[in-house]
Amino acid sequence: MNADLVYFAALQENLTALATAERPAIERAARAVASSIAAGGVVHYFGSGHSQLVAVEPLQRAGGLAPVNVIADPALSPVAPRHAGAAERVSGYAAAVLRTADIRAGEVVVVISNSGINAVPVEFALGARESGATVVAVTSRAHSLAAESRHPGGQRLLDVADIVIDTHGSPGDTVVPLGDLAVGALSTVLGAALVNALTCRAAQLLVEHHKQTPPLIVSQNTDGDAGRRNDELLERYKDRCPRD
């Protein structure tokens, strides 16, 4: 079979696992997000390296929630992968990042880390919990358990989160074998799909359970006054969710 078709088949298998095996965890996370937003809170997203791409996905996204705060530290950016790969292993660095984040009790912090073994995501999750937030981990359980933790205490992200959503990704992330090598990473695609699914369910709960109109962004590339409506909506959260 062609490698592209093998990749698509693996992606479909993992998406099915997310939609079935991870339904209870997604539901718990969505209820926490909806409750926080209904009470005036925001949702925080954090990731390092390529996981930062997933953290940025819901930011002012068409069909996404307006009260989203992305904690994207430049030193952990995937644009500088060697730098980020070194920085995310440094114990103590998460404390500096947390000092720049306005995380409040009762809010939700989604921490994305495919491996879940590096010091920064683990310590960031621990710090967020100390702030009284509910921590949702998006990670590959198989990858995490197959690798040694780089956290000084030997903990993994899945050990310290309140809610763990397993992407069912393979160790090493790649899913298409090519002799002694492998190609085709899944974690970013799976993470983006999960973030959007979580948004969908949280928005539905805001309507059905909390009897509120969900604060959703609409595409500005449409006719009408979408830009003005979005600006008015984002203005409500500008103190918690910086726009620039």
Side-chain angles (χ1 to χ4, degrees), residues 14-144:
N14 279 59
L15 287 173
T16 298
L18 278 174
T20 54
E22 298 308 307
R23 275 293 307 137
I26 293 171
E27 181 69 13
R28 287 180 60 202
R31 289 185 177 276
V33 169
S35 295
S36 176
I37 292 175
V42 305
V43 187
H44 307 270
Y45 285 86
F46 174 79
S48 59
H50 278 82
S51 292
Q52 194 175 100
L53 296 173
V54 180
V56 173
E57 165 66 19
L59 181 62
Q60 296 183 34
R61 160 67 70 186
L65 294 162
V68 164
N69 179 45
V70 176
I71 304 163
D73 187 88
L76 300 172
S77 170
V79 176
R82 292 182 65 185
H83 191 163
E88 68 181 352
R89 301 183 184 189
V90 178
S91 180
Y93 188 77
V97 180
L98 281 162
R99 282 196 289 271
T100 70
D102 183 13
I103 298 172
R104 301 180 185 180
E107 295 185 330
V108 176
V109 179
V110 181
V111 181
I112 304 106
S113 175
N114 185 58
S115 70
I117 63 170
N118 288 309
V120 168
V122 173
E123 293 176 0
F124 191 92
L126 288 168
R129 289 187 68 183
E130 289 176 2
S131 298
T134 297
V135 173
V136 177
V138 177
T139 189
S140 164
R141 189 178 295 273
H143 188 136
S144 188

Side-chain angles (χ1 to χ4, degrees), residues 202-226:
Q204 183 183 36
L205 288 167
L206 280 167
V207 174
E208 296 181 351
H209 182 72
H210 295 280
K211 310 304 179 185
Q212 294 187 13
T213 300
L216 295 174
I217 300 293
V218 298
S219 174
Q220 298 191 66
N221 299 314
T222 57
D223 295 331
D225 61 348

